[in-house]
Amino acid sequence: LVDNTTGDKLLGYNLLSSMDSPTYGGMSGGGLLDENGKIVGIYGYDYSGILSLSSIAINSYFQIANQTQLLDNENSLLTSNDYIMQSLDSNKDIKEKISLLNKVTEIDRQNPEIYFWLGLRFQEKAQSSQDKKYFQSSLENFNKAVTLENTNARYSIILSRLYIDYGINTNNETYIDKALENLNYVIENLNSNDTRAYYWLGRAYQEKNEYGKAIESYSKGIKLDPNYSSNYFQRGIVYLNQNSLN
């Protein structure tokens, strides 16, 4: 699935099946089948407000189902994932979302997804306030998520994106270098076929004025996914910067 606000492909809770098998009311809890009739997911409701198709991958479903249950103020049992879903409610402000996620960390300290979403919420707060302390809080939480699950390419790519943004905002090339280290690790060790990794790798090289490497990264991303338009756009910007329109 693609986040319409950032263009990023999202992994994890939301699982894309195909455009000809969307989720409709009444399908929640039903099995999502692959072309061979094997159950690969469970249909569910999308709380984020940005996704049109929604289901949960079967392995993620069992992982969440086995998580420690939490007690809310109304004495009903909630899982860590329930609190994460509540934090995606567009009617809640950022402060409420952060409070919900912090509540879960007091009980479930080993769930990387909690820290991932806390990182996103603090990043959102940082962008709206331009307060550096929120950028630092975002970095801390993303790093916790990566530490808890260092094989998750999604966490490392989003962390790298934040390093790049923070490096640009503070004019500190050290953060750009951290992004390069992270992204090269993702490509070499976790997922060499993720077009987002090549996009952000290109952005990092672009910020360091290493235009040849930036073009190479964007071009690899385009080859992997010709529909990911951000790679074309940024490659075009680099060509313009080099005064090469070919």
Side-chain angles (χ1 to χ4, degrees), residues 113-243:
E113 197 71 5
I114 298 168
Y115 296 105
F116 170 78
W117 284 105
L118 263 173
L120 286 179
R121 295 290 79 85
F122 277 117
Q123 182 183 13
E124 187 179 351
K125 183 72 173 175
Q127 290 172 339
S128 63
S129 67
Q130 290 302 306
D131 191 328
K132 292 182 180 179
K133 70 179 181 183
Y134 294 119
F135 276 110
Q136 287 296 335
S137 294
S138 183
L139 285 173
E140 289 172 8
N141 281 284
F142 277 127
N143 273 301
K144 284 181 182 178
V146 171
T147 300
L148 287 168
E149 192 175 335
N150 60 11
T151 58
N152 191 313
R154 169 178 170 241
Y155 296 161
S156 293
I157 291 171
I158 299 296
L159 173 59
S160 300
R161 183 177 76 177
L162 183 61
Y163 277 141
I164 293 169
D165 289 343
Y166 196 47
I168 294 172
N169 290 334
T170 61
N171 196 29
N172 188 335
E173 196 170 297
T174 300
Y175 290 104
I176 308 297
D177 291 334
K178 287 183 177 181
L180 284 171
E181 181 180 353
N182 265 14
L183 292 164
N184 279 311
Y185 178 83
V186 168
I187 291 169
E188 292 171 8
N189 298 284
L190 302 181
N191 188 352
S192 61
N193 295 315
D194 194 322
T195 189
R196 299 168 307 158
Y198 288 102
Y199 170 76
W200 289 106
L201 185 65
R203 287 290 302 273
Y205 281 128
Q206 193 172 340
E207 290 303 321
K208 290 177 70 69
N209 297 324
E210 296 185 33
Y211 296 132
K213 290 182 178 179
I215 290 172
E216 181 182 356
S217 298
Y218 294 136
S219 297
K220 285 181 178 178
I222 290 169
K223 186 176 181 179
L224 286 170
D225 186 355
N227 296 317
Y228 194 74
S229 59
S230 297
N231 279 315
Y232 292 100
F233 179 80
Q234 286 300 140
R235 188 175 68 173
I237 295 296
V238 176
Y239 281 139
L240 285 173
N241 288 338
Q242 289 188 315
N243 294 318

